[in-house]
Amino acid sequence: MLFLVGALLVLGVVLGVVAHVPAPVSVVAGLAIALWLALFAAREHFFGHRRAGRLDRDRGGVR
C-alpha cells in the first residue's frame, strides 16, 4: 500500500513538471525514456535467456 502511495506521489510530481516545461522538452524527455526502455527490453530479451540457460546447465540440466 505504501508503494502505491509513493508511486502516485511520484506520478503527481512528474506530471506537474511536464505541465510547466515547454512541449519540446517533454517530447525529448519522453523519447529518451522510450529509447532507454527499448534498449533494456532488447538486452533482457537477447541476453536474459542465455543467463537462464546457463543457470539451468549449472544445476545439471534440470529445467
Side-chain angles (χ1 to χ4, degrees):
M1 185 68 180
L2 287 175
F3 177 76
L4 181 61
V5 172
L8 289 173
L9 179 66
V10 170
L11 179 66
V13 170
V14 169
L15 288 178
V17 169
V18 170
H20 289 90
V21 297
V25 174
S26 296
V27 170
V28 169
L31 288 174
I33 292 170
L35 177 65
W36 177 39
L37 290 173
L39 290 173
F40 176 77
R43 187 187 69 175
E44 286 297 311
H45 178 72
F46 290 117
F47 299 116
H49 295 298
R50 254 189 255 158
R51 270 197 310 256
R54 185 174 61 234
L55 290 175
D56 289 340
R57 198 171 50 247
D58 290 343
R59 286 185 286 183
V62 177
R63 285 197 162 205

